[in-house]
Amino acid sequence: MKNILVPVGSSKNALSHLQYAVDFAEAFGAKLFVVQVYNVYTKAGTMIKVDHIIERESLAFLKELVSKIDTKGVEVIVKTLKGKLIDTLELACKTANVDLVLIEPRTNSISDKVFLGETSGKIIKQMHVPALIVPEGYVFSKPSHVLMALKSAIIKKDHVLHPLKHIKKQFNATIDLLLVKTPYYNDGDFKVNKELKSVVSNIKETENATTFQGVLRHYESHDPDMLCVVRRKRGFFTKKWEKNTILKKDFHSTIPVLVLSGLK
């Protein structure tokens, strides 16, 4: 894991989140890209160069944030990017060969009832790059026990497990696999291939209405310090993420959540 991207909003948690990102990047010897995306909608006849003003203020904001954290020798590159959020971030990730996107649950000041805000939810739902959701105020510590929850272990895409493998190797972490049989179960869904078997230490099967309910049922017995799920077209968070925001009553994690791109 060599390149990590951190989109920054205006939340009160920005400093804490950036410090976690630096600490995480330091563990891998990775480069950190700190970015803020802005878009400008102008009216006909407007004479003010709004773009330059926003870009200047955004860049100054990011530089000030970075100046307040301990960068620990990590190479931190600050960028302001103009364009539509997802398209711009996807292009930035492709250009910089980004391995992982670190996001905070709420990048803007919104209701305490919300776990993932509109922007964070959109990034998780629509981007194809693996992401790590870091709870607000969470202080970095090496993850030693990861709980991976899947309703289907079928893997068709190459390299999709790489972020999980990197975390396992770098932190010598134990990974438990929870296979959740839902009403949408298909024959062969629990067939674990050699690649996945080589990553996990323990495999447990459970039957629940949803993958999330399976996680809730077995969370305490596994006592993980990181959760790993998979982004699917009809997967772990699909219904909750159709409106991008996720309420805490629907899903809330007090530990980092690694979201892999779709396995199929």
Side-chain angles (χ1 to χ4, degrees):
M1 213 174 293
K2 296 299 181 184
N3 298 302
I4 297 172
L5 184 138
V6 185
V8 174
S10 57
S11 78
K12 296 179 180 179
N13 182 60
L15 280 177
S16 171
H17 184 64
L18 272 183
Q19 190 61 63
Y20 180 98
V22 166
D23 295 344
F24 188 89
E26 183 192 28
F28 288 94
K31 185 184 300 182
L32 197 64
F33 292 89
V34 178
V35 304
Q36 189 167 64
V37 179
Y38 69 94
N39 206 340
V40 180
Y41 299 94
T42 59
K43 295 181 179 180
T46 301
M47 301 299 292
I48 301 175
K49 294 182 178 180
V50 181
D51 286 23
H52 297 298
I53 296 173
I54 295 179
E55 182 180 10
R56 183 179 67 246
E57 293 182 350
S58 179
L59 190 59
F61 171 73
L62 293 180
K63 287 182 177 179
E64 183 181 5
L65 282 179
V66 173
S67 72
K68 293 179 179 178
I69 62 173
D70 182 0
T71 57
K72 299 183 176 181
V74 172
E75 183 178 357
V76 179
I77 298 174
V78 176
K79 294 283 187 181
T80 56
L81 308 171
K82 179 186 175 183
K84 293 182 178 179
L85 179 69
I86 301 303
D87 292 343
T88 304
L89 288 179
E90 288 276 17
L91 180 59
C93 288
K94 183 177 181 180
T95 303
N97 293 316
V98 168
D99 302 296
L100 187 69
V101 176
L102 261 64
I103 70 167
E104 52 181 322
R106 300 180 297 170
T107 58
N108 297 298
S109 298
I110 54 177
S111 172
D112 286 338
K113 295 180 180 180
V114 172
F115 174 59
L116 278 190
E118 177 70 22
T119 300
S120 299
K122 187 179 293 184
I123 290 173
I124 289 296
K125 179 180 178 181
Q126 298 181 24
M127 284 188 68
H128 300 292
V129 182
L132 183 66
I133 305 170
V134 183
E136 295 174 6
Y138 196 88
V139 178
F140 174 79
S141 62
K142 296 180 179 180
S144 60
H145 188 185
V146 182
L147 176 60
M148 184 182 193
L150 299 174
K151 69 176 183 180
S152 174
I154 297 174
I155 300 175
K156 295 182 179 180
K157 290 183 178 180
D158 295 331
H159 314 307
V160 70
L161 294 177
H162 278 194
L164 189 61
K165 289 181 177 180
H166 289 316
I167 288 173
K168 175 183 173 69
K169 181 180 180 180
Q170 187 64 38
F171 302 118
N172 193 29
T174 298
I175 300 174
D176 290 343
L177 175 60
L178 181 66
L179 295 172
V180 185
K181 186 176 182 180
T182 71
Y184 301 99
Y185 174 84
N186 295 311
D187 289 338
D189 277 346
F190 284 4
K191 186 175 181 179
V192 181
N193 68 11
K194 291 182 180 179
E195 182 184 17
L196 185 53
K197 279 184 178 179
S198 69
V199 177
V200 303
S201 300
N202 304 291
I203 301 175
K204 184 178 184 63
E205 297 182 8
T206 183
E207 188 169 346
N208 299 93
T210 65
T211 313
F212 178 49
Q213 288 184 16
V215 169
L216 289 178
R217 180 178 175 183
H218 295 276
Y219 185 90
E220 289 189 5
S221 62
H222 286 269
D223 192 26
D225 44 29
M226 182 175 286
L227 179 64
C228 178
V229 297
V230 174
R231 179 191 293 113
R232 297 180 185 276
K233 290 182 178 179
R234 303 301 303 175
F236 191 79
F237 291 116
T238 304
K239 290 183 180 179
K240 297 180 180 62
W241 283 349
E242 284 176 349
K243 294 183 179 179
N244 291 326
T245 57
I246 300 178
L247 299 179
K248 288 182 178 179
K249 67 181 182 66
D250 294 321
F251 176 79
H252 179 55
S253 176
T254 56
I255 59 175
V257 181
L258 177 64
V259 184
L260 302 179
S261 55
L263 303 182
K264 300 179 181 180

